[in-house]
Amino acid sequence: LYYFFSKFSLQEVSSYEFIKNNVDYFSNLKNKNYFTLIITFFFFVVIWVLLLGFGSPVALASGFIFGKWIGTILITISLSFGSLLLYLITIFFFKDLVHQKLGNRMVFLRELFNKNEFLYFLIYRFVGGIPFVIANTLPVIFNVKITNYFLGTLIGMTPQLFIVVSIGSGLEKIIDANTAPPSFLEIILSKDIYLPLIAFLIIVIISLFLKKKIIQIKYLVPLDRLARTTFSLPWKYSTT
């Protein structure tokens, strides 16, 4: 970073002209050091997750650098490993704290996880809706098995990550095709952007449907059991 910013100012780096003029350079650099770049990006994302970073910025970067398909595979595996490590750290050092703060509010979800841990954790990851850091550490309450945690994260986050990565890949194509900065309308009307956005809306609708079903299941629990629970859904929809 010191070397990079000693050569370029922050104003240059943030300008469209800088990005456009150096796309070919960075593309050649990527092609010559592709495997090294993949390994570096993987460890960067893992550290990013451990430092409590969000998933969306690195997913966009993955699509911009590696394209739609390789970018999706790379970011999904990277975020899954990072999330698993954060989960293990939480188990060893912060398990009691998480139970103390949130345990009483998750009685109903804990009952669902006990019925079919992998299925409900998969839905939990697919629906999303809470900050990425909390989503990674909250399963401590449910005592999710390590295998179920990793596979559920890997599979459950893939649809959302594919959409975000596709947007990042689409932005790279738009920059490559335009000599001048495109307008917001031009960006939105690009199929590389509006198709992922439509897919994102579909996922939102599916997530809302699943949340509604879970709430309906909650109220099928006998009233005497409900009287002893203080459960409430702690999320609103958002990206990773």
Side-chain angles (χ1 to χ4, degrees), residues 207-221:
S207 299
L208 292 175
F209 173 78
L210 291 174
K211 288 181 182 180
K212 182 178 179 181
K213 287 297 182 182
I214 291 175
I215 293 174
Q216 289 176 349
I217 295 174
K218 173 188 174 182
Y219 288 106
L220 292 177
V221 178

Side-chain angles (χ1 to χ4, degrees), residues 85-101:
L85 287 178
L86 184 59
Y87 176 65
L88 293 174
I89 291 174
T90 305
I91 290 176
F92 285 111
F93 297 103
F94 305 105
K95 184 175 182 178
D96 293 338
L97 178 63
V98 175
H99 275 276
Q100 179 183 350
K101 297 295 183 180

Side-chain angles (χ1 to χ4, degrees), residues 162-233:
F162 176 74
I163 292 172
V164 179
V165 170
S166 296
I167 294 175
S169 178
L171 290 174
E172 191 274 335
K173 292 179 181 179
I174 291 173
I175 292 174
D176 188 54
N178 291 271
T179 55
S183 65
F184 178 76
L185 184 61
E186 289 176 327
I187 294 176
I188 293 297
L189 292 180
S190 170
K191 68 177 183 179
D192 293 311
I193 301 299
Y194 73 72
L195 288 180
L197 290 177
I198 292 174
F200 173 76
L201 292 176
I202 293 174
I203 285 185
V204 170
I205 294 172
I206 295 174
S207 299
L208 292 175
F209 173 78
L210 291 174
K211 288 181 182 180
K212 182 178 179 181
K213 287 297 182 182
I214 291 175
I215 293 174
Q216 289 176 349
I217 295 174
K218 173 188 174 182
Y219 288 106
L220 292 177
V221 178
L223 292 178
D224 61 336
R225 189 184 304 175
L226 283 176
R228 298 195 300 270
T229 65
T230 58
F231 170 78
S232 61
L233 285 174

Side-chain angles (χ1 to χ4, degrees), residues 1-13:
L1 286 176
Y2 172 79
Y3 175 79
F4 182 82
F5 283 107
S6 66
K7 299 294 183 181
F8 306 103
S9 67
L10 183 61
Q11 184 177 3
E12 288 178 310
V13 173

Side-chain angles (χ1 to χ4, degrees), residues 32-67:
K32 292 179 180 178
N33 304 276
Y34 198 72
F35 182 75
T36 302
L37 185 60
I38 287 177
I39 298 299
T40 303
F41 188 82
F42 171 82
F43 283 106
F44 171 80
V45 172
V46 171
I47 295 172
W48 173 268
V49 175
L50 294 178
L51 294 176
L52 311 183
F54 293 96
S56 298
V58 287
L60 283 170
S62 182
F64 191 90
I65 297 172
F66 299 101

Side-chain angles (χ1 to χ4, degrees), residues 31-159:
N31 293 333
K32 292 179 180 178
N33 304 276
Y34 198 72
F35 182 75
T36 302
L37 185 60
I38 287 177
I39 298 299
T40 303
F41 188 82
F42 171 82
F43 283 106
F44 171 80
V45 172
V46 171
I47 295 172
W48 173 268
V49 175
L50 294 178
L51 294 176
L52 311 183
F54 293 96
S56 298
V58 287
L60 283 170
S62 182
F64 191 90
I65 297 172
F66 299 101
K68 184 188 301 182
W69 303 109
I70 299 299
T72 299
I73 295 172
L74 178 58
I75 194 62
T76 303
I77 294 175
S78 302
L79 287 177
S80 297
F81 270 103
S83 299
L84 179 60
L85 287 178
L86 184 59
Y87 176 65
L88 293 174
I89 291 174
T90 305
I91 290 176
F92 285 111
F93 297 103
F94 305 105
K95 184 175 182 178
D96 293 338
L97 178 63
V98 175
H99 275 276
Q100 179 183 350
K101 297 295 183 180
L102 298 172
N104 292 333
R105 303 180 62 190
M106 300 295 160
V107 175
F108 169 69
L109 279 181
R110 190 158 56 231
E111 291 178 356
L112 290 181
F113 273 69
N114 289 336
K115 293 179 181 178
N116 193 327
E117 183 179 272
F118 179 74
L119 174 62
Y120 284 103
F121 184 73
L122 186 65
I123 295 174
Y124 168 83
R125 277 303 197 182
F126 175 81
V127 171
I130 55 179
F132 191 59
V133 177
I134 298 177
N136 290 334
T137 55
L138 191 61
V140 168
I141 296 175
F142 315 129
N143 295 317
V144 178
K145 297 177 182 177
I146 293 177
T147 303
N148 288 342
Y149 185 96
F150 180 76
L151 293 179
T153 301
L154 187 72
I155 300 171
M157 292 199 309
T158 297

